Amino acid sequence: MSLNKCMIIGNLGRDPEMRYTPNGQAVTQFTVATNRRWKGQNEEWQEETEWFRVVVWAQQAERAAERLRKGHKVYIEGRIQTRQWEDQSGQKRYTTELVANQVTSLERRERGEDGEYPPFPGSEGGSPGGGSSGGGSSGGGPSGSDSPAPRSGATASAGTTGSSDPSDAQPAPDYDDLPF
């Protein structure tokens, strides 16, 4: 038995580049930087950046090209693949890439002009917490969960309900929690 699985969380190093293969299949490529920090022998913090070439295929490639931008934080899951080709001078070249089967943006959704988050795709209008739909799936979130629990340490804000006593305030649900 063998396993080829890679999971990374990092930031896009450039905007995604999408193209179509001769048979019409969408393919998007971009790079993702991951960082590692540790204390060296001299007790000083050191940092290392590892770059990954990411390749995404089909409908997910189209969504990635449409929604992701340089600097966005993403979760990528897939397999490692090494390809070989010949350059213009006839020399063999190799590249190793992460072929993604799951791409999840970890960016917060942008607010509209009215300061509210837009409704989730497939929801029945209204804003989250507005009572009309109760949320829905954000494409990559946990299934079967209509409204994720608020983050720990959440504080009362303008989106709270109930009395004006801060000890009674319940925070509005945070629909931007990570799916894991």
Side-chain angles (χ1 to χ4, degrees):
M1 176 152 86
S2 63
L3 176 67
N4 180 353
K5 186 170 188 170
C6 179
M7 297 179 285
I8 63 171
I9 294 177
N11 295 86
L12 265 70
R14 62 181 175 171
D15 285 347
E17 297 174 8
M18 185 176 72
R19 62 179 175 80
Y20 289 90
T21 63
N23 67 1
Q25 183 83 354
V27 59
T28 297
Q29 298 179 343
F30 52 90
T31 57
V32 174
T34 61
N35 296 308
R36 180 173 80 99
R37 288 184 50 142
W38 73 96
K39 270 194 178 178
Q41 291 179 350
N42 59 1
E43 295 297 316
E44 290 186 27
W45 283 103
Q46 299 187 21
E47 186 168 306
E48 174 181 81
T49 301
E50 189 72 36
W51 286 92
F52 292 84
R53 292 178 183 267
V54 179
V55 178
V56 188
W57 290 90
Q59 286 182 331
Q60 201 164 36
E62 292 172 342
R63 285 193 307 270
E66 177 183 308
R67 297 177 182 168
L68 300 178
R69 292 292 169 258
K70 178 180 178 177
H72 280 194
K73 188 170 287 293
V74 291
Y75 167 77
I76 310 286
E77 185 175 312
R79 63 185 169 82
I80 300 294
Q81 171 181 288
T82 301
R83 289 188 297 119
Q84 171 187 327
W85 78 95
E86 284 189 20
D87 65 12
Q88 293 174 346
S89 66
Q91 196 163 13
K92 285 186 180 180
R93 298 284 185 176
Y94 298 89
T95 188
T96 301
E97 48 201 16
L98 195 169
V99 180
N101 58 29
Q102 180 180 349
V103 177
T104 304
S105 174
L106 301 181
E107 290 296 308
R108 297 180 74 86
R109 293 179 298 135
E110 293 184 21
R111 294 178 190 241
E113 290 179 15
D114 60 358
E116 294 291 320
Y117 289 113
F120 283 103
S123 69
E124 300 294 325
S127 62
S132 62
S133 69
S137 173
S138 62
S143 59
S145 172
D146 285 346
S147 59
R151 290 187 193 150
S152 61
T155 58
S157 66
T160 61
T161 59
S163 72
S164 60
D165 182 0
S167 63
D168 293 339
Q170 296 294 317
D174 186 352
Y175 290 93
D176 292 318
D177 279 348
L178 302 179
F180 50 93

